[in-house]
Amino acid sequence: MTALIVVMWVSTGAAQTLVSYSPVGDAIPTSLTGQPGDALRGRAIVVNRQKGLCLLCHTGPFAEERFQGDLAPTLAGAGSRWNAGQLRLRLVDSRRVNADTIMPSYYRIDSLNRVGAAWQGKPVLTAAEIEDVVAFLLTLKE
């Protein structure tokens, strides 16, 4: 089996630099930033209807949030179903796990269709934001 190295964007303030990672099976086992994410910031991204848009398709343990989606699996129990690496790959590029998914690639900028001008060449979430969401999803055990 050959190793695949994928190069993605990481936002570091105003500048953007490249980071490489190697998917292993159905996961990206190492942090994109080299640091663990912050679960509180991750939760804020998940429930934010302008940033992550997660609740457009997913439901979860967010009693204060109205109109949660039902097009995708519930986020409740995500931390029991998947490990950090599996969650990271699903956020970065879920098409690697399911070619027919409707979930957007939150951290990929190449080979995308119908990307708005303001988003061209930019990931939806930064590497740090991906790690924050992973950290939060890992807390959802039930």
Side-chain angles (χ1 to χ4, degrees):
M1 180 184 250
T2 59
L4 174 65
I5 305 234
V6 180
V7 177
M8 302 305 281
W9 289 99
V10 176
S11 177
T12 54
Q16 300 226 359
T17 58
L18 293 177
V19 148
S20 62
Y21 63 85
S22 297
V24 176
D26 68 344
I28 299 172
T30 57
S31 167
L32 298 176
T33 63
Q35 302 289 324
D38 179 274
L40 289 176
R41 287 192 308 255
R43 186 185 195 286
I45 292 166
V46 168
V47 300
N48 185 310
R49 294 187 188 270
Q50 282 75 48
K51 186 71 173 169
L53 292 172
C54 303
L55 299 184
L56 183 65
C57 296
H58 296 276
T59 191
F62 316 105
E64 75 282 7
E65 296 296 328
R66 296 178 57 198
F67 308 116
Q68 296 180 34
D70 62 1
L71 297 173
T74 180
L75 297 179
S80 296
R81 291 192 303 273
W82 298 292
N83 64 37
Q86 292 169 320
L87 289 166
R88 190 174 293 113
L89 181 57
R90 281 161 173 76
L91 291 167
V92 167
D93 186 6
S94 60
R95 290 199 186 331
R96 289 183 166 275
V97 179
N98 176 0
D100 296 325
T101 187
I102 61 171
M103 183 166 164
S105 299
Y106 282 92
Y107 194 64
R108 197 179 96 205
I109 61 170
D110 61 328
S111 303
L112 301 174
N113 297 316
R114 298 173 45 180
V115 177
W119 290 102
Q120 291 180 3
K122 300 175 194 172
V124 175
L125 297 177
T126 67
E129 290 169 330
I130 293 287
E131 294 306 322
D132 292 342
V133 173
V134 168
F136 171 65
L137 292 175
L138 286 172
T139 71
L140 301 179
K141 299 292 186 184
E142 296 179 16

